[in-house]
Amino acid sequence: MAILPEEIPVILTVFLALGAWRISRQKVLTRRITAVEALGAITVLAVDKTGTLTVNRMAVAELATAQAHFTPEDAAELPEEFHRLAEFAMLATPADPFDPMEKAIQQFGHQWLEGTEHVHDGREPEFEYALSGEILAMTRVFAGSETAPSSDHWLLATKGAPEAVADLCHLDTARQGAIRQQVEAMAERGLRVLGVACGRWSGASAAPGADPLWPQSQHDFDFEFLGLVALADPPRPEVPAALAECRGAGVRVVMMTGDHPATARAIARQVGLSERPDILTGAELEALDDAALTARLRHVDLCARLKPQHKLRLVQLLRASGEVVAMTGDGVNDAPALKAADVGIAMGERGTDVAREAAALVLLDDSFARIVAAIRQGRRIDSNIRKAVRFTFAVHAPIIALVLGPTLLKWPTLLMPVHIVLLQLLIDPTCAVVLEAEPEDIGSMERPPRPVSDSPFSIAPLVYSVLQGLGLAAVLLAGQYWLAGQGWSNAQSRTVVFGTLVLCVMLLILANRDLSRPAWHGVSDRNPWLWRMAAAMALLLVAVLGLPWLRTLMGLALPGAGGLAVGAALLALTLAWLELVRIVSQRWPGARAAPRPA
């Protein structure tokens, strides 16, 4: 029992479980407990734009045709030339949508077209072409014309990426160039731009009365380009400060969005995401092999017009290059990238069930600031686990030495089984309660993420802990040797050594809380369980020595004033040794003092 550090599984389980509870207080739900530990090592945070950096509360900000522009501000009514554009934008949108962008389109249409023949509430499509990776547009097919249903003519309403809709309309180069200029002008103001088109089709069926034989692709229809709908989605107010905190913590933030590159650049500029102007698009990504794309990623923070498979590839390449990646997402198509990331983060308010199932963390309020708070908590948990591991190995060394030493030297037994059991019962709650409750280290978000290979069980921290424990053991064994030479009885010397060892547990806690300063400086640091545990240990010693039956059971005797003086001297020597080890460890090449708690 003394040799095996059986507390380690308890420490890892309890610390991570309590860490998940602490993170939940930041409105971040933990679905996989291993993500709590990985948070402290994140080097790249890949985020979507809509809903993560922005509030995801869209409103139609502008309409544009080839001849005119319309903005809702200070307008009394919608000009006639924009009626068909707004009408077909509504027809291309579900009547009761879930997506905030589509909600904004329906709200705009009902606000400006209510009471006209351009509102078609209750009209359901006969067929739909969904948005796909090949065509970034969706088409809804209705029976008849704008005014009346028909069984042999079909009305088409299409919306999507402007370049995709323009391609479906088979526009000439000049018209496509003009549309591209309009889109870039809107996108540079941070607007999300959609193209809208209409069409008509005379269906063909396999037999009279049968359903039409729908074309395989939207490209098989003839469309008329109606214009552009631009939507505004303002950035979240907390994002700039959170991004600055990420930069200070050495966490690189990469935007991965399906929006237009100019829109991505504008939002990035508004929130202060990156000073680098380069943007990687999905088309460029497809033209690069893995080596070239990895090299390009080192210099790019904005990725636009991405498809779901592009996000997955980017996450995989970032991880392959040694980065620890956290990825945010909300849609069904984001699930592969969320699962491939070291820490997948799904949106709880607007995210799909598939995304939440694939993710390790779920943001309950979709706030970007919650991600930064989770990273902060992850670093705190990682730091406290390291403190507890150091303490555990340090406190086992004297127990082992005090059991084996007297046996090898043929001295009277110092620690009996009952003492070992009692010490083990003290060690577990000390690790799980006192060090788990340590506050965040000062500057924890001002230093780079820890390397993935930096384990709490690496050689340097374990050597440090063993040196602490062996020095403590040497002091106690020397004290036992001196007491025996002075003619003290076995019970009296055992009492002094055992009592000093119990009090040294508190010294080891203080010494391992912060390696950058002497142990006694941590006495006044904020930790709700430190003094409670100290009081519990003091009461335990009083009970063991004050109750005759318990004192007899444990083979102890009242130490007297002399025993108290010897115990105080041994504590002072132990404290001096711990300080000497701390000072020497600062000179080790691999040693790094942990910042003190905040």
Side-chain angles (χ1 to χ4, degrees):
M1 183 181 290
I3 292 175
L4 296 176
E6 72 280 357
E7 300 90 352
I8 297 299
V10 176
I11 289 171
L12 296 177
T13 302
V14 171
F15 277 47
L16 293 178
L18 289 176
W21 171 74
R22 294 184 188 280
I23 292 174
S24 71
R25 300 173 69 183
Q26 303 291 334
K27 295 189 177 181
V28 180
L29 178 65
T30 303
R31 297 193 66 255
R32 294 184 180 86
I33 202 70
T34 53
V36 176
E37 188 269 341
L39 283 169
I42 288 174
T43 59
V44 174
L45 179 57
V47 299
D48 189 19
K49 177 186 73 66
T50 305
T52 303
L53 300 179
T54 62
V55 296
N56 201 29
R57 296 190 184 96
M58 293 191 178
V60 175
E62 188 173 344
L63 300 182
T65 63
Q67 296 79 27
H69 285 77
F70 171 78
T71 54
E73 291 84 358
D74 303 324
E77 61 181 16
L78 183 67
E80 182 67 31
E81 60 263 39
F82 295 102
H83 282 195
R84 291 189 73 225
L85 173 57
E87 175 187 6
F88 277 88
M90 292 178 67
L91 284 172
T93 301
D96 186 19
F98 171 78
D99 184 82
M101 178 185 65
E102 294 184 326
K103 285 184 177 181
I105 292 173
Q106 288 290 356
Q107 290 171 358
F108 178 87
H110 282 91
Q111 178 182 354
W112 295 95
L113 297 177
E114 195 67 46
T116 70
E117 72 278 10
H118 299 289
V119 177
H120 305 279
D121 287 341
R123 191 170 184 180
E124 294 296 329
E126 300 293 327
F127 192 75
E128 294 188 25
Y129 292 88
L131 188 77
S132 68
E134 292 72 30
I135 303 177
L136 297 178
M138 60 177 295
T139 297
R140 306 177 88 218
V141 183
F142 298 87
S145 63
E146 291 97 322
T147 56
S150 173
S151 59
D152 55 354
H153 290 83
W154 307 89
L155 182 68
L156 312 174
T158 299
K159 75 174 188 300
E163 62 270 23
V165 176
D167 184 54
L168 290 176
C169 295
H170 308 294
L171 301 178
D172 57 36
T173 304
R175 180 72 177 107
Q176 290 192 30
I179 292 173
R180 190 180 305 111
Q181 290 181 353
Q182 286 182 305
V183 171
E184 289 179 354
M186 294 177 176
E188 286 174 356
R189 298 195 297 273
L191 301 178
R192 186 174 188 178
V193 188
L194 297 176
V196 178
C198 69
R200 292 169 181 81
W201 179 66
S202 297
S205 59
D211 291 337
L213 297 175
W214 304 109
Q216 292 294 320
S217 171
Q218 299 175 69
H219 278 291
D220 296 327
F221 296 111
D222 291 325
F223 290 99
E224 174 191 355
F225 192 86
L226 296 178
L228 302 171
V229 177
L231 300 102
D233 185 14
R236 291 182 181 271
E238 73 273 12
V239 167
L243 287 172
E245 195 169 4
C246 281
R247 283 194 297 272
V251 178
R252 176 187 170 201
V253 181
V254 178
M255 180 192 294
M256 296 184 183
T257 179
D259 284 354
H260 192 280
T263 304
R265 185 184 290 112
I267 295 298
R269 184 171 57 248
Q270 292 176 27
V271 299
L273 187 146
S274 175
E275 297 295 331
R276 298 192 282 195
D278 290 346
I279 292 183
L280 176 67
T281 65
E284 294 171 337
L285 181 151
E286 291 177 348
L288 298 173
D289 59 23
D290 288 352
L293 181 55
T294 300
R296 180 77 186 279
L297 274 176
R298 298 191 186 102
H299 309 287
V300 174
D301 295 327
L302 306 179
C303 304
R305 278 293 185 253
L306 296 183
K307 300 174 184 177
Q309 61 268 30
H310 296 158
K311 295 183 180 181
L312 174 60
R313 185 183 175 197
L314 289 173
V315 169
Q316 291 172 335
L317 287 180
L318 284 169
R319 292 192 65 196
S321 63
E323 305 286 359
V324 179
V325 182
M327 171 77 190
T328 68
D330 60 353
V332 173
N333 292 333
D334 291 328
L338 290 173
K339 200 165 187 65
D342 294 281
V343 181
I345 305 173
M347 302 299 153
E349 285 188 339
R350 64 185 177 89
T352 61
D353 290 340
V354 175
R356 287 193 288 266
E357 286 294 324
L361 301 177
V362 178
L363 303 184
L364 299 182
D365 62 358
D366 293 5
S367 172
F368 181 82
R370 302 298 181 189
I371 303 176
V372 181
I375 293 174
R376 179 187 293 275
Q377 284 292 333
R379 293 191 174 190
R380 171 190 176 181
I381 294 161
D382 175 76
S383 175
N384 289 347
I385 288 176
R386 293 169 185 272
K387 295 172 185 177
V389 169
R390 287 199 308 266
F391 167 81
T392 299
F393 280 90
V395 84
H396 270 263
I399 299 176
I400 297 170
L402 291 177
V403 172
L404 296 180
T407 302
L408 297 175
L409 297 173
K410 301 188 183 304
W411 291 358
T413 301
L414 273 178
L415 295 183
M416 298 187 297
V418 65
H419 301 137
I420 297 174
V421 171
L422 185 58
L423 284 168
Q424 295 291 74
L425 291 176
L426 284 172
I427 292 170
D428 283 345
T430 300
C431 293
V433 177
V434 176
L435 293 174
E436 192 283 328
E438 280 290 283
E440 176 191 350
D441 294 336
I442 289 178
S444 68
M445 293 295 285
E446 298 173 5
R447 62 176 186 263
R450 63 170 176 83
V452 179
S453 59
D454 185 12
S455 168
F457 303 99
S458 57
I459 296 298
L462 294 187
V463 168
Y464 180 89
S465 301
V466 171
L467 283 177
Q468 282 184 322
L470 290 180
L472 192 154
V475 170
L476 293 179
L477 287 173
Q480 165 66 10
Y481 178 78
W482 185 84
L483 290 172
Q486 297 298 313
W488 287 52
S489 67
N490 292 339
Q492 288 178 314
S493 59
R494 181 184 295 120
T495 300
V496 173
V497 172
F498 175 75
T500 305
L501 178 59
V502 172
L503 295 177
C504 283
V505 171
M506 287 303 301
L507 286 184
L508 286 174
I509 293 174
L510 294 175
N512 285 284
R513 293 183 73 196
D514 179 9
L515 304 186
S516 66
R517 57 183 182 153
W520 57 85
H521 286 184
V523 171
S524 60
D525 283 346
R526 178 173 53 88
N527 185 318
W529 290 102
L530 180 64
W531 289 110
R532 298 176 190 178
M533 187 59 65
M537 287 186 176
L539 287 175
L540 180 61
L541 284 178
V542 169
V544 167
L545 297 177
L547 298 176
W549 66 270
L550 189 55
R551 187 169 63 241
T552 302
L553 175 66
M554 301 193 68
L556 304 178
L558 291 174
L564 294 177
V566 173
L570 294 177
L571 279 175
L573 290 173
T574 299
L575 188 58
W577 170 256
L578 294 176
E579 178 61 12
L580 177 63
V581 172
R582 187 192 69 82
I583 293 174
V584 172
S585 71
Q586 304 306 305
R587 305 180 186 275
W588 293 354
R592 181 181 62 182
R596 66 187 181 89

